[in-house]
């Protein structure tokens, strides 16, 4: 929903719990584009997305449903801005003007940060060798995203056991703090869109 809300003139909402759309058709979201509404089904990986397509195709062949909905898969680590760009291409609509400029800045920042290290063999063993990678991780978390490359490099530092100032206990603490920061940013974004937290679920 956050990704779709970044598109110009696009709105979206979840299907009602226990509704026909939810129970019978398994639709997760309804998106409104150019005054037309489209159902979406979200899956956590490509395999379940393909299974869902096959089930829908069978129902469509039997004339039990009028069409096959858009099915896409994502996961908790997916980049919201990248998803927004995919949706913009899919629906042939532009990103919001302010978001387009933010995307350019974010892309430049990520490129610059990844110039620091690309492989564990490039990381030295000094006291501060891990700090630029930690900063890249927290930069992504501060945008509500997750830098998997930075996480993997930090884990590799732990595994090779050559950096005395970055060991497993440090790694666990850093990852935990970064995830909390990411969660806080995502929470703020959802609340800015009018969602309220009820227990562990957003309504």
């Amino acid at each position: 929903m956050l990704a779709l809300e970044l598109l110009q003139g696009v709105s979206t909402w979840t299907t009602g719990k226990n509704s026909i759309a939810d129970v019978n058709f398994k639709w997760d979201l309804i998106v409104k584009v150019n005054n037309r509404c489209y159902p979406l089904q979200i899956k956590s990986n490509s395999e379940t997305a393909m299974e869902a397509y096959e089930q829908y195709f069978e129902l469509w062949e039997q004339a039990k449903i009028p069409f096959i909905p858009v099915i896409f898969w994502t996961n908790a680590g997916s980049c919201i801005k990248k998803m927004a760009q995919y949706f913009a291409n899919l629906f042939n609509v532009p990103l919001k003007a302010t978001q387009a400029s933010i995307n350019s800045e974010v892309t430049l920042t990520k490129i610059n940060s990844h110039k620091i290290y690309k492989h564990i063999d490039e990381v030295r063993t000094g006291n501060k060798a891990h700090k630029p990678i930690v900063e890249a991780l927290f930069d992504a978390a501060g945008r509500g995203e997750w830098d998997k490359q930075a996480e993997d490099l930090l884990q590799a530092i732990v595994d090779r056991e050559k950096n005395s100032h970055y060991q497993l206990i440090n790694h666990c603490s850093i990852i935990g703090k970064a995830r909390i920061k990411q969660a806080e940013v995502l929470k703020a974004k959802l609340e800015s869109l009018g969602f309220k937290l009820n227990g562990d679920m957003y309504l």
Side-chain angles (χ1 to χ4, degrees):
M1 292 184 70
L2 288 173
L4 287 163
E5 292 292 343
L6 296 180
L7 274 62
Q8 186 172 308
V10 173
S11 57
T12 183
W13 59 93
T14 58
T15 54
K17 186 177 181 180
N18 297 324
S19 65
I20 292 176
D22 176 38
V23 177
N24 291 14
F25 294 149
K26 308 299 182 184
W27 295 344
D28 297 308
L29 295 177
I30 305 295
V31 57
K32 186 176 182 181
V33 184
N34 297 325
N35 294 320
R36 292 187 177 184
C37 294
Y38 304 91
L40 305 180
Q41 188 180 55
I42 308 167
K43 293 296 182 183
S44 59
N45 56 64
S46 58
E47 289 77 15
T48 54
M50 183 57 68
E51 290 173 4
Y53 173 80
E54 291 173 352
Q55 292 171 3
Y56 274 120
F57 185 80
E58 184 176 342
L59 291 172
W60 177 74
E61 281 193 319
Q62 298 171 0
K64 293 183 178 180
I65 56 174
F67 55 83
I68 299 173
V70 174
I71 304 170
F72 70 97
W73 67 273
T74 181
N75 55 56
S78 294
C79 173
I80 292 172
K81 296 179 181 64
K82 184 179 290 186
M83 289 174 62
Q85 187 61 61
Y86 287 147
F87 278 123
N89 295 338
L90 176 66
F91 292 118
N92 194 28
V93 295
L95 294 170
K96 292 177 180 177
T98 55
Q99 190 58 44
S101 61
I102 291 173
N103 279 352
S104 298
E105 293 174 6
V106 168
T107 300
L108 181 60
T109 301
K110 292 181 74 174
I111 289 173
N112 290 338
S113 68
H114 287 319
K115 284 182 180 179
I116 301 169
Y117 300 122
K118 292 184 179 180
H119 191 273
I120 185 60
D121 292 341
E122 300 175 10
V123 182
R124 297 182 181 276
T125 58
N127 296 347
K128 299 181 180 180
H130 62 281
K131 289 191 174 181
I133 309 172
V134 171
E135 289 173 0
L137 185 74
F138 275 89
D139 283 344
R143 300 189 300 270
E145 302 169 8
W146 191 252
D147 191 332
K148 189 64 167 60
Q149 182 182 11
E151 180 188 14
D152 290 345
L153 278 172
L154 290 171
Q155 182 63 58
I157 291 174
V158 172
D159 293 341
R160 76 175 180 180
E161 299 180 340
K162 291 183 179 180
N163 295 69
S164 60
H165 286 261
Y166 195 82
Q167 299 181 17
L168 183 58
I169 188 170
N170 308 106
H171 183 64
C172 293
S173 176
I174 290 295
I175 296 299
K177 289 177 181 178
R179 283 297 190 186
I180 290 173
K181 184 174 183 179
Q182 180 191 26
E184 290 173 347
V185 172
L186 292 174
K187 178 182 177 182
K189 288 182 178 180
L190 285 170
E191 290 176 346
S192 71
L193 295 174
F195 294 92
K196 293 182 179 180
L197 184 63
N198 181 15
D200 293 328
M201 299 294 292
Y202 273 95
L203 303 175

